[in-house]
Amino acid sequence: MNEESLKKLLADFKKGNKSEEDLLEALRDLPFEDIGFAKVDHHRELRTGFPEVIYGEGKSLEQILAIAEKIVKRGHNLLVTRIGVEIGSALAARFPEGEYGETARIFAIEAKPREKTGFVLVITAGTSDIPAAEEAAITASLFGCRVERIYDVGVAGVHRLLAYESLIQEADVIVVAAGMEGALASVVASLSRAPVVALPTSVGYGASFKGLSALLGMLNSCAAGVSVVNIDNGFGAGCVASLVCGKARR
Amino acid sequence: MNEESLKKLLADFKKGNKSEEDLLEALRDLPFEDIGFAKVDHHRELRTGFPEVIYGEGKSLEQILAIAEKIVKRGHNLLVTRIGVEIGSALAARFPEGEYGETARIFAIEAKPREKTGFVLVITAGTSDIPAAEEAAITASLFGCRVERIYDVGVAGVHRLLAYESLIQEADVIVVAAGMEGALASVVASLSRAPVVALPTSVGYGASFKGLSALLGMLNSCAAGVSVVNIDNGFGAGCVASLVCGKARR
Amino acid sequence: MNEESLKKLLADFKKGNKSEEDLLEALRDLPFEDIGFAKVDHHRELRTGFPEVIYGEGKSLEQILAIAEKIVKRGHNLLVTRIGVEIGSALAARFPEGEYGETARIFAIEAKPREKTGFVLVITAGTSDIPAAEEAAITASLFGCRVERIYDVGVAGVHRLLAYESLIQEADVIVVAAGMEGALASVVASLSRAPVVALPTSVGYGASFKGLSALLGMLNSCAAGVSVVNIDNGFGAGCVASLVCGKARR
Amino acid sequence: MNEESLKKLLADFKKGNKSEEDLLEALRDLPFEDIGFAKVDHHRELRTGFPEVIYGEGKSLEQILAIAEKIVKRGHNLLVTRIGVEIGSALAARFPEGEYGETARIFAIEAKPREKTGFVLVITAGTSDIPAAEEAAITASLFGCRVERIYDVGVAGVHRLLAYESLIQEADVIVVAAGMEGALASVVASLSRAPVVALPTSVGYGASFKGLSALLGMLNSCAAGVSVVNIDNGFGAGCVASLVCGKARR
Amino acid sequence: MNEESLKKLLADFKKGNKSEEDLLEALRDLPFEDIGFAKVDHHRELRTGFPEVIYGEGKSLEQILAIAEKIVKRGHNLLVTRIGVEIGSALAARFPEGEYGETARIFAIEAKPREKTGFVLVITAGTSDIPAAEEAAITASLFGCRVERIYDVGVAGVHRLLAYESLIQEADVIVVAAGMEGALASVVASLSRAPVVALPTSVGYGASFKGLSALLGMLNSCAAGVSVVNIDNGFGAGCVASLVCGKARR
Amino acid sequence: MNEESLKKLLADFKKGNKSEEDLLEALRDLPFEDIGFAKVDHHRELRTGFPEVIYGEGKSLEQILAIAEKIVKRGHNLLVTRIGVEIGSALAARFPEGEYGETARIFAIEAKPREKTGFVLVITAGTSDIPAAEEAAITASLFGCRVERIYDVGVAGVHRLLAYESLIQEADVIVVAAGMEGALASVVASLSRAPVVALPTSVGYGASFKGLSALLGMLNSCAAGVSVVNIDNGFGAGCVASLVCGKARR
Amino acid sequence: MNEESLKKLLADFKKGNKSEEDLLEALRDLPFEDIGFAKVDHHRELRTGFPEVIYGEGKSLEQILAIAEKIVKRGHNLLVTRIGVEIGSALAARFPEGEYGETARIFAIEAKPREKTGFVLVITAGTSDIPAAEEAAITASLFGCRVERIYDVGVAGVHRLLAYESLIQEADVIVVAAGMEGALASVVASLSRAPVVALPTSVGYGASFKGLSALLGMLNSCAAGVSVVNIDNGFGAGCVASLVCGKARR
Amino acid sequence: MNEESLKKLLADFKKGNKSEEDLLEALRDLPFEDIGFAKVDHHRELRTGFPEVIYGEGKSLEQILAIAEKIVKRGHNLLVTRIGVEIGSALAARFPEGEYGETARIFAIEAKPREKTGFVLVITAGTSDIPAAEEAAITASLFGCRVERIYDVGVAGVHRLLAYESLIQEADVIVVAAGMEGALASVVASLSRAPVVALPTSVGYGASFKGLSALLGMLNSCAAGVSVVNIDNGFGAGCVASLVCGKARR
């Protein structure tokens, strides 16, 4: 219920077309439905055009298809994350307008392509960090950002990174995906005035403790402007990046 | 050295006003001074107006004063973090134009006050989270952001938070400081479309493990748009927030 | 030795058929065999009607069937937890009076259905938390409690939860199952005067450390009235809830 | 705003005594003020008589006195936790009607003494666990429960505990405070049909890791009916216990 | 051998009272026997009759057979630990004089059966702890100890344990295998004057962290006389127990 | 109730002075009062002559003196552990028959000196491990064992240890105190057929994590015959050692 | 570009053979290509002869073959680590000049065999540590070092190690691979004046926490001269060893 | 010495060609020198000229002076680590030939100054890492290495580091001291062909966990040639560096 329909309701009541009882009943539901949390809904509505997201891990193809059908029917963007090639192919067969990214393990339909604004730069330390990075990149792109990628420029060969310095300085926000010691986030942040969203990955073995070392390294970054998301949470990094860009393109 | 001065140098050399030796000497310095890392310097220069920061922990009053003198002499903003009341008072006596915030444990001089743009909202779960929050708030303010505060609205009384929903929805970026279980970041993020910089604090005891529980809670936030800085790192949260705003106010 | 055989012993002694020495010897053994821990046994007997529980993990179908036969033969309720669909189906075939819950991974026979009293509300943050929640719900129900469920109302959309506020306030005890940051327990506790049994789940990835983040978050809840059980321990949560209800329905 | 005043508002509007604009303004505030979150408030009001709690750690005497004055002025119960003997004595001097418990580090005023109902049994493993236990006991008592204590009956001498078996079986809820390995909670739960609130303490050294071993031990209790609060969180245990009793005495 | 006896030896040799052969023999033993390592060898020899142990995990059947052949050929006892039923059966087929214990995952040949002395009591909390316990029991038995078992007497039903109190008091050393909270070790130690070798098992889930909770619980035992071996290290517990018994039967 | 009063009860019953009902009631209480746990008590009595132990940490001088008086009055041995020089001196002044060990932080009175039997060897890796080692040594000595010490023979100079090989092979049980990597326990165990009680100490810094590295190292010892007590738990190591010796000297 | 070619460039410019534009273009590339990072490149070039390394884990045969072809075509050494027997065999079939080590899980082609200099000694505690050790040994060998191996000389039988003392003292650098408690590194370091590269392995179970106990033990080594690489990082240990030898053979 | 030469020795002795004294001398050296440990002694002797080290932490001035007197009397170098300014000044007063470094917390006497060979470069990320770095630098210098320092060149301003690239490439071994995320070690290693000894420091707060994040970061370095010592173990890093140099200057 929006303000217009509320005004109509009141007018009906004043005119006697609506009993006190009925009006009270309607108003009683307001706080959560309309006036109270309609704000939330309105806010949600403003976000429309953003894909609705299905976290695919642990869901069967049937479950995913059922939810996807509803979203697509409404004409919304669709984003299904963390799905293997089998489910991805099935989705691609069912929704030929969408695209399955095997590396990112994402299936996405951009229902209403729009101009990409805000520049998200996604950087990885190694090739093994690419899946998480792609999850971030595709998410940000689907949310309306222009995305560029610089992959495999870890600090073991810091000169490779420096060659991209101008690109780094143009970005509105940078996602840095790195496993092992996660040092790349600090180095990138030292070269940029954009906020750096550090995306630790579980790449590594032994004392990397499945991403813990990268996570701690990024949290302790000596370079200002770094904030961190969960290990392998490419989707989360893409969300944060697109929210920052949302600011940037106002 | 910019391109103009480089061209002039070459012209001088061609004309014979500059010896090969002198030119080589100048070029040898190029990579770091001008062409290579001058970008970095330029980038740094663009940041001027931002305070230079002294991390006060473990430094003596003499050390801090010595560094501060140099910064102030250059007419820069000054930010000294993590200092007790004794050092803070000494700084306030020496630099009457500055201000010491006892709660934030920060001394700041805003040398060239400028219009505040970009709206940073700083929220805390409890009163004990205020010092970290203030460190963030003062940092962001000194970096040029408009800052508002909502303190003591933790999820133990979630209605207190909801009363501020409109403010939450206006912010360009929100810093959420919380210790214990750190749940506030998730709840705020669910009410806002601004990026949320989660600032875990060491508030708590026992199984809070000095902020670890809040840190983990925030990293695992089920609400999109949350990224996290180190425990009690108010300065870092303020930096990230101001970088996001920097984008917003272009 | 039960009370009858004890009475017989004493009668024999009185009649002179049993010497003082023999009686003393028999009595000396009593404490553990009969009189002593019969108190415990009696206490156990008072619990009759409660299902006897088989922890299915790591047990073969044969082992489970063997134990189940004995329990059912005695006319008791039966609860088999943590079993897959294969064993569940086999049990359902063997004991058609029982029911296998695939989600909860529980097989249960309520031998002597009785009126459900005490109101246990089971809430989950997401759909992935439902298995643990169902384990709690079925356990509490089999132990004689009335159970209602509110699923998928995590703090990422806190308004969804608030719509159920009156139900939350009616409950005698609330089980809150949540993974990731586990924040839901705090928010629910802030809305209720019933004790909240927080049930952390292993839902999540990366820095959730298989439920550790939810566990720590719940232990550090800033809302009073929350206590916590082991990760994924739905059975334990159901036990605590039913014990609390047992008090409530006295 | 209650239903009556809402009806009056609507009548005024119908009669034309209230403009559409004014009515809309009033309704807009409803969700938080009256219909929506008044429930929360009402719920809070119902709790009146319960002490309002000041967490004393890190607060100055001045701060505590200021808050305490307000609470006492309203005629409410007062509970100040985690305060040393200096602050405790100052409070006792200022509020002679209250009592300072040095062991529990609690100052409490029971403004409106009422009949204690519901039976909370507080048990400790050793003498060093008594401070946490007393915090729980005094909290539960102030919240209206009858409290009894059995101290220093750890499993290193399990017979000491068994001597209290009948008391254990009478309790409505049992708080078990133990450090080191925390085994006592399991043993008590095996002897009782009341819910056991396990309160791990930081008593111990070395591999007790400041209460972690007791915490883990209690979370992994092999006895059903045990739930756990944070390390040394006597107040939390007392809250849970009194909520359970609140159910019991309905 | 000290210098004096060495001088005497040399004098005897010079005088011809000692043959070169005898002297060489004595000297050959010097480095290892007296001053250094021959004692170790002698000590090893004294141990003959003890099984030589093959840690089976990660070894192929071929590798195990190859090593086993050599040991058996020498007429020694054989102990192969941590092997599955396939390898166990193959060993049993090859060495019909041996026995494969499927639960303990051990294959053992007692080449020279001897009288069992020293009484090792092996106790488990639950049935899932039996594999580790059996590994300990079979090890201790093969090393020459009399072994008795009390299984499934965990503290969730402490009376079950107390029924065996006399047996507990007769043992020379007690191995207590328990997972989850590991409380049984403390309770047993409180009933016995024999040293208790606590054997934490990985039984449990969630916050048991694969045996960590049991391990910490046992290390923090409030009962004197408890020492601990690695998680699931039944072989180690059996070794310690038999060494203690070795002392006992001198 | 002792045996006499029980006999009287039975006689009364036989004579008809006591009804069956009354007798049953009385017998029902037996297990815990008399017949049941007198076994435990008897067992405790058998231990008489062993010192009663006061854990001094966190106790005031007054508290310690009060408990000590009672123990000494009964003519028992006295052992007060973990006390500083101030309390130690006060105890020495009050009980001149006792002795305060400043290194071990122990005050001990051996009320009834008896022949020391069973040979406990206490070895340390470094000089910083001596306090924990002395706690073990004095405990074992007071419990009736002959104790010898080899200090500062860590594996950084393994030849120093080997010089004591014969002593190592004579011991009935060996306590090895070591911090840092705790490797000494493995090396000693490889040289001895006595059980080794590994006593990790908190000696070290950084990644020693206050004894955790030594603890883990000892738990993972590749040498058979090693069991472990808590970090810095010299008293516990001394208890285990004396229990093993108790076996040895039977 | 070296100084000479730079001088020529400037001369050409002065003479007018080179336009300002061209010169500027060349200079602009300087920082990364020549003056700045050409050093890095030069440094890399000096390393030629060293194998280029493909980390095989998670790469498909196709990916590995593609990269390997390029490396081999250039005539470089090739090192593929962490590959199973299937990929190893395929590589051996494709490149018959190379060799697959099944234990080390490495495929290597030494394109230009050269004299091995510098003596790397690789020692293991047990047979299970051999895979990591072989990875180190083959790496060091391919990088040009003479490598010798001493396997299965753990501290559980320290005399086995001492028999190799002279070899230990001849080495230029020693790699010590050990799991479980990792004590071998300390003992070896106490016998040698060469730097010891400690290589913790994930060998062990329970409280070894997949190599953590060995890692911590080695980091806390009480013997000077020990540094540590990641768990199971044989390649890293081989690199460090060969760099040390590189120094040695200058 | 083999059996043949031993037989010859004995024959010589018998014939009188060898005195008892000579034979004893030869035999006395046997156990330690040839077969076992005299090599160790000889090896130790070769190290003479190296300072003997006193770990000062926890030692009183008296204890340190006593040990120092003995070392100095023998004309040896002296190194006392981890001492405050009070003890340092007292040592400087007693031994005016020595020097106390307040930052490094080291007192050192170089008894026999010798030419420094081998080039150790010590680099720190920040100024707070200098104490650990100085401990390493002074240690390496006293052990005979030429040491240069580059301090405060952390990755937050990576260009500062690159300015020193030629120095980095000249070093024989590089010690990199860094706290927080410890990324500097990786970056330095990517610029150098010398082995890098990574020295994690406890600099940082919150999720640095007292050096754990730097330690893990360094262990997981993606750059080859990095090995790691314990947190804040400057002495250990200096030892490793000097051992590497020892190789270099042969």
Side-chain angles (χ1 to χ4, degrees), chain B residues 156 181 183 186 190 207-208 213 217 220 222, chain C residues 156 181 183 186 190 207-208 217 220 222:
Chain B
E181 84 273 59
S186 294
S190 79
S208 84
S213 66
N220 286 285
C222 52
Chain C
E181 85 273 60
S186 293
S190 80
S208 83
N220 286 285
C222 52

Side-chain angles (χ1 to χ4, degrees), chain A:
Chain A
M1 189 192 290
N2 59 18
E3 197 159 328
E4 290 321 298
S5 59
L6 178 58
K7 282 182 180 172
K8 181 167 182 321
L9 196 69
L10 294 175
D12 282 354
F13 167 67
K14 200 165 188 174
K15 282 185 248 168
N17 297 347
K18 196 106 204 166
S19 70
E20 187 203 66
E21 197 180 326
D22 286 355
L23 180 57
L24 275 175
E25 186 61 33
L27 291 174
R28 188 168 290 121
D29 287 345
L30 270 180
F32 301 105
E33 257 186 63
D34 296 294
I35 303 178
F37 283 94
K39 275 177 194 164
V40 173
D41 289 346
H42 184 58
H43 156 64
R44 295 225 134 204
E45 196 181 276
L46 289 177
R47 281 193 178 160
T48 306
F50 279 28
E52 303 207 13
V53 181
I54 305 173
Y55 182 79
E57 198 143 305
K59 291 208 178 67
S60 68
L61 177 57
E62 291 67 39
Q63 292 175 309
I64 292 173
L65 275 175
I67 310 175
E69 298 277 8
K70 287 191 191 159
I71 293 171
V72 171
K73 205 167 286 174
R74 271 180 269 141
H76 290 185
N77 283 346
L78 175 71
L79 186 59
V80 191
T81 64
R82 307 224 168 188
I83 48 173
V85 75
E86 200 177 353
I87 288 182
S89 306
L91 285 168
R94 173 66 194 78
F95 306 105
E97 69 272 33
E99 199 171 350
Y100 175 63
E102 190 172 339
T103 305
R105 304 180 64 224
I106 276 184
F107 180 81
I109 301 177
E110 192 168 6
K112 320 162 189 163
R114 49 176 178 166
E115 195 198 357
K116 305 297 185 192
T117 59
F119 172 16
V120 177
L121 182 61
V122 180
I123 304 179
T124 76
T127 53
S128 310
D129 303 311
I130 293 178
E134 276 299 301
E135 192 179 302
I138 295 177
T139 298
S141 175
L142 201 61
F143 281 23
C145 304
R146 177 166 71 87
V147 177
E148 301 219 11
R149 292 142 169 100
I150 309 175
Y151 286 169
D152 197 20
V153 290
V155 297
V158 79
H159 60 293
R160 294 177 297 179
L161 176 66
L162 295 174
Y164 294 95
E165 203 177 346
S166 62
L167 205 58
I168 288 169
Q169 291 184 10
E170 281 166 32
D172 288 324
V173 58
I174 306 176
V175 173
V176 178
M180 300 174 89
E181 85 273 59
L184 186 61
S186 293
V187 175
V188 169
S190 80
L191 300 175
S192 165
R193 50 187 300 227
V196 169
V197 181
L199 168 53
T201 71
S202 55
V203 170
Y205 58 89
S208 83
F209 297 123
K210 312 200 176 199
L212 180 63
S213 66
L215 172 63
L216 290 183
M218 287 163 163
L219 284 168
N220 286 284
S221 175
C222 53
V226 178
S227 62
V228 189
V229 296
N230 193 4
I231 297 162
D232 289 331
N233 187 6
F235 171 70
C239 285
V240 171
S242 67
L243 285 183
V244 172
C245 280
K247 296 299 143 189
R249 69 176 176 261
R250 266 188 190 173

Side-chain angles (χ1 to χ4, degrees), chain C residues 119-124 136 148-150 153 161 164-177 184-185 187-199 225-228 237-238 240-242 244-245, chain D residues 43 243 247:
Chain C
F119 173 15
V120 176
L121 182 60
V122 180
I123 304 179
T124 76
E148 301 220 12
R149 292 139 168 104
I150 309 175
V153 290
L161 176 66
Y164 294 97
E165 203 178 346
S166 61
L167 205 57
I168 287 171
Q169 291 183 10
E170 280 167 33
D172 288 324
V173 57
I174 305 176
V175 173
V176 177
L184 186 60
V187 176
V188 169
S190 80
L191 301 174
S192 165
R193 50 189 300 230
V196 168
V197 182
L199 169 53
V226 177
S227 62
V228 189
V240 172
S242 67
V244 173
C245 280
Chain D
H43 156 64
L243 286 183
K247 295 299 144 193

Side-chain angles (χ1 to χ4, degrees), chain E residues 90-107:
Chain E
L91 284 167
R94 173 64 194 79
F95 306 106
E97 68 273 33
E99 199 170 350
Y100 174 63
E102 189 171 341
T103 305
R105 305 180 64 222
I106 275 184
F107 180 80

Side-chain angles (χ1 to χ4, degrees), chain H residues 103-148:
Chain H
T103 304
R105 303 179 66 223
I106 275 184
F107 180 82
I109 301 177
E110 191 167 6
K112 320 165 189 162
R114 48 176 180 166
E115 197 199 356
K116 304 297 185 192
T117 59
F119 172 16
V120 177
L121 183 59
V122 181
I123 304 179
T124 75
T127 53
S128 310
D129 303 311
I130 293 179
E134 277 297 302
E135 192 180 301
I138 294 178
T139 297
S141 174
L142 201 61
F143 281 23
C145 305
R146 178 166 72 88
V147 177
E148 300 220 11

